[in-house]
Amino acid sequence: MEEITKKSLSNWIKETVKENEPFDNEYDFQFNLALKLRDSGYKVKFEKFIYDKDEYPKCRCDLVLCKSDNPKILIELKYIFTGKQAQKTSINARESFIKDYNRILNKIESRNTVKKGFVVFLTNKKAVFKQTKSSSNKEFVQKFHELVNKDNKNNHKWQDCEFKDNQECKLLVVEVKDKLK
């Protein structure tokens, strides 16, 4: 079974992006990525209720990679593509990203079978990956940009990727490791 790392996940996402037109929505992105991930030797489950139901009663994890039937790796996705699907504002998407990060971290720290987690953001909306003055007063937006701009040893940087029709987008893959301040 191939180990899933930030680098391998980023490469699979880039391949998935190249092979597809811009996705119609996040579920389309989720499905196409799952097709790539199943080749890693894991079972891939969609929209799984895996978080603490008392604390997160309505939250499901986008992709859960399992070995046997035990969850091993959690992946949360954010997809905002202007012109196709832009239902969430850039501020809401960043807030959701931070919440996803914290939910995965709580699951890993609970000494459960979950070993690792990733939060992924794919977008062509510039307001998401650039910090604007108007949104800088939002605490979660500042946490988002602190996480993205961590020092180089953590390698949290936006990467460019292209769809088949040459539309550029940005990809951010963050491995869940440390508590956010």
Side-chain angles (χ1 to χ4, degrees), residues 2-174:
E2 185 175 340
E3 180 184 356
I4 295 181
T5 63
K6 178 182 169 183
K7 185 175 182 173
S8 64
L9 181 58
S10 296
N11 289 338
W12 286 323
I13 293 169
K14 286 180 183 180
E15 288 173 21
T16 302
V17 166
K18 281 183 185 176
E19 294 168 2
N20 294 278
E21 293 300 324
F23 307 107
D24 289 330
N25 52 47
E26 188 174 292
Y27 297 115
D28 191 15
F29 173 36
Q30 188 181 73
F31 177 76
N32 283 285
L33 179 57
L35 293 176
K36 283 273 184 215
L37 292 172
R38 74 176 178 181
D39 295 336
S40 68
Y42 286 88
K43 291 181 187 178
V44 181
K45 297 186 179 196
F46 294 88
E47 296 294 330
K48 194 95 169 118
F49 283 105
I50 192 164
Y51 302 117
D52 182 338
K53 289 180 183 175
D54 293 330
E55 194 171 352
Y56 310 107
K58 296 182 180 182
C59 292
R60 297 176 302 224
C61 185
D62 291 331
L63 296 174
V64 178
L65 307 183
C66 301
K67 181 179 173 185
S68 302
D69 279 325
N70 297 323
K72 294 292 180 192
I73 299 173
L74 306 180
I75 301 174
E76 292 284 4
L77 305 172
K78 294 289 161 264
Y79 175 72
I80 297 180
F81 203 88
T82 58
K84 279 279 190 182
Q85 181 266 352
Q87 295 165 343
K88 275 189 177 175
T89 67
S90 60
I91 291 177
N92 288 346
R94 289 178 281 187
E95 179 181 21
S96 182
F97 185 94
I98 295 298
K99 287 179 179 178
D100 288 347
Y101 183 99
N102 288 329
R103 268 196 310 275
I104 290 174
L105 183 63
N106 288 342
K107 192 69 176 171
I108 292 169
E109 288 178 342
S110 72
R111 308 258 184 248
N112 205 299
T113 59
V114 175
K115 302 295 181 208
K116 202 182 253 206
F118 297 92
V119 186
V120 174
F121 214 129
L122 182 64
T123 186
N124 72 339
K125 193 172 182 178
K126 290 179 183 173
V128 175
F129 51 89
K130 292 186 177 182
Q131 187 169 8
T132 61
K133 290 178 184 174
S134 63
S135 65
S136 61
N137 61 344
K138 303 277 187 184
E139 182 183 342
F140 56 82
V141 172
Q142 288 185 349
K143 284 183 181 179
F144 175 84
H145 287 287
E146 285 171 19
L147 180 64
V148 171
N149 293 320
K150 275 188 172 183
D151 58 12
N152 286 333
K153 71 178 180 179
N154 288 328
N155 246 355
H156 297 304
K157 299 292 177 197
W158 290 96
Q159 301 172 358
D160 292 316
C161 53
E162 285 187 11
F163 283 101
K164 284 194 292 190
D165 62 2
N166 293 327
Q167 288 183 327
E168 289 184 32
C169 59
K170 296 276 188 182
L171 170 65
L172 176 67
V173 177
V174 176

